[in-house]
Amino acid sequence: MTKAVRALVVCLALLPGLGWAAQREFNMTIDEVTIEVAPGFVNKVFAFNGQVPGPLIHVKQGDEVTVHVTNNTTLPHTMHWHGVNQIGSWHNDGVPGITQDAIQPGESFTYKFTVDRPGSLWYHCHVNVWEHVATRGMWGPLIIDPKNPSDLEKKVTKDAILMMNTWESAYANTYGKGGAPQDVSDYFSVNAKSFPYTQPIRVKKGDVLRLRFFGAGDEFHEMHMHGHDMLITHKDGYPLAHPYYVDTISVGPGERYDAIVEMKNPGLFIMHDHVDKHMTNNGAMLGGPVTVFEYEGIKFDPFYAWKDKVYDPNFFYSESLAQGYGLFNNPTFQGKPIEQARRRR
């Protein structure tokens, strides 16, 4: 090896992050569909790729991301990449009238940015957020793996994404309304479903589970886990200098918390919202953002509410997160298309 080649190798080795970053390009649409949130309750939504939550985008810190977005709906929208600082790319922040014109019906827009910091981030519309985000399901997870995960993060054996939101049945079928201060939320969900349409999280003793909580709507959710303590390790994607244990975590609008749980207490244990009215579907018990941790080997009693439930292992994007990097749609979250006369420009 010549001195010149040797010097080049040394220089390349000293460049930070070289060989880590990748260029990732995705296509997304915004569609008008209906979803059934709870038994008998159907809501019109603006859905990314036709689903709520939107597809999982899973990338690595430092990746260069390009997303082509086409608006197939009858109203304007944008996409804000919540938590991405847009260093040198502020035109891609997705705020109408500030960084871009809204994407009009029938039009497309391309976002390009580098994911500059890791963690549990998300994306959502920034047009009429009080309706489009709060009651029309325009949100999805953006998970950015760190270059240097902590020793505790390396121990995680299973991930789960929980996006909490509320709904207003009075405006479920009327686009352009809802989300105002005087409007009342009466359905409460995790990943756009209310019990009994939610799913359990199946684990085995010895698992190290990471729960990623998202406040995707405009209300607070007090998520309480029975039988276990949660170690809160990250806030809004940032690692905490002093992680702390809780059994209840308050998740407000826009917030994200990562909690790591050592699964060492076999049984059936519920997790629910401790805002008591959130445990209903329009006042009818039991409802809301409920899940149950089902340990491997536990026999279901005849009275167990979910003893005959068909299990969906990807309801919390656990399987998608384990598949590597990319954009992951989820058929479970697909809505039913609404017939409409599309406006094109």
Side-chain angles (χ1 to χ4, degrees):
M1 182 183 292
T2 68
K3 288 184 178 180
V5 172
R6 209 177 288 121
L8 178 60
V9 170
V10 171
C11 289
L12 292 176
L14 292 176
L15 288 175
L18 189 69
W20 173 267
Q23 294 184 342
R24 305 190 187 277
E25 188 169 359
F26 308 119
N27 294 297
M28 294 183 69
T29 61
I30 307 172
D31 306 293
E32 294 183 2
V33 304
T34 61
I35 60 171
E36 189 173 10
V37 177
F41 174 55
V42 175
N43 204 98
K44 287 184 176 179
V45 295
F46 299 120
F48 293 113
N49 282 11
Q51 63 174 69
V52 183
L56 166 68
I57 298 177
H58 187 195
V59 294
K60 301 180 296 185
Q61 183 182 7
D63 282 355
E64 298 175 4
V65 176
T66 300
V67 186
H68 307 286
V69 180
T70 299
N71 181 7
N72 293 329
T73 78
T74 56
L75 291 174
H77 304 286
T78 63
M79 288 184 71
H80 170 58
W81 309 94
H82 191 129
V84 177
N85 287 329
Q86 299 292 354
I87 305 298
S89 55
W90 64 271
H91 281 103
N92 294 270
D93 199 41
V95 182
I98 305 296
T99 61
Q100 69 171 101
D101 288 330
I103 310 171
Q104 298 300 318
E107 292 188 345
S108 299
F109 188 90
T110 295
Y111 296 91
K112 294 183 178 181
F113 52 89
T114 298
V115 285
D116 51 322
R117 69 177 179 91
S120 298
L121 279 56
W122 62 307
Y123 59 87
H124 58 80
C125 182
H126 224 287
V127 176
N128 296 353
V129 291
W130 48 91
E131 181 204 356
H132 295 187
V133 179
T135 66
R136 299 294 171 199
M138 294 197 72
W139 33 266
L142 171 60
I143 304 300
I144 303 172
D145 283 354
K147 292 180 182 179
N148 300 303
S150 67
D151 290 340
L152 182 57
E153 288 176 292
K154 292 176 182 178
K155 294 180 181 179
V156 170
T157 61
K158 188 182 184 77
D159 267 287
I161 289 172
L162 298 89
M163 305 191 79
M164 275 71 68
N165 197 56
T166 62
W167 308 88
E168 299 169 0
S169 62
Y171 302 111
N173 295 308
T174 308
Y175 284 131
K177 293 186 177 182
Q182 70 274 13
D183 297 329
V184 177
S185 300
D186 49 10
Y187 285 85
F188 315 93
S189 66
V190 57
N191 293 357
K193 299 295 182 185
S194 303
F195 183 88
Y197 283 178
T198 52
Q199 282 278 332
I201 298 176
R202 289 188 174 171
V203 297
K204 60 182 181 294
K205 187 176 181 181
D207 272 344
V208 178
L209 174 68
R210 175 166 45 198
L211 302 169
R212 300 176 184 263
F213 295 103
F214 293 74
D218 61 357
E219 292 195 18
F220 279 82
H221 301 269
E222 304 288 336
M223 300 307 294
H224 170 52
M225 184 176 184
H226 289 208
H228 301 75
D229 292 318
M230 299 182 286
L231 180 64
I232 305 302
T233 62
H234 292 70
K235 168 73 168 76
D236 295 341
Y238 290 107
L240 298 177
H242 302 286
Y244 58 95
Y245 283 100
V246 300
D247 62 31
T248 305
I249 184 68
S250 179
V251 185
E255 289 188 311
R256 287 91 61 217
Y257 288 92
D258 287 11
I260 290 182
V261 186
E262 295 182 17
M263 307 306 297
K264 55 185 179 181
N265 184 18
L268 301 179
F269 290 101
I270 193 173
M271 171 175 276
H272 63 91
D273 192 335
H274 227 296
V275 179
D276 292 338
K277 69 177 181 180
H278 291 181
M279 291 282 285
T280 76
N281 295 335
N282 196 19
M285 291 289 288
L286 179 65
V290 169
T291 187
V292 176
F293 297 91
E294 296 179 348
Y295 272 83
E296 181 180 84
I298 297 298
K299 182 180 179 181
F300 296 162
D301 291 305
F303 56 79
Y304 176 45
W306 278 347
K307 66 180 179 65
D308 297 320
K309 189 171 186 64
V310 176
Y311 177 55
D312 177 4
N314 204 31
F315 181 83
F316 297 99
Y317 274 124
S318 300
E319 289 197 334
S320 294
L321 281 166
Q323 289 176 14
Y325 300 110
L327 183 148
F328 298 89
N329 295 306
N330 190 334
T332 295
F333 301 140
Q334 282 288 324
K336 182 179 179 180
I338 298 171
E339 293 298 325
Q340 61 179 353
R342 307 224 185 255
R343 292 186 291 181
R344 303 290 183 189
R345 288 195 171 204

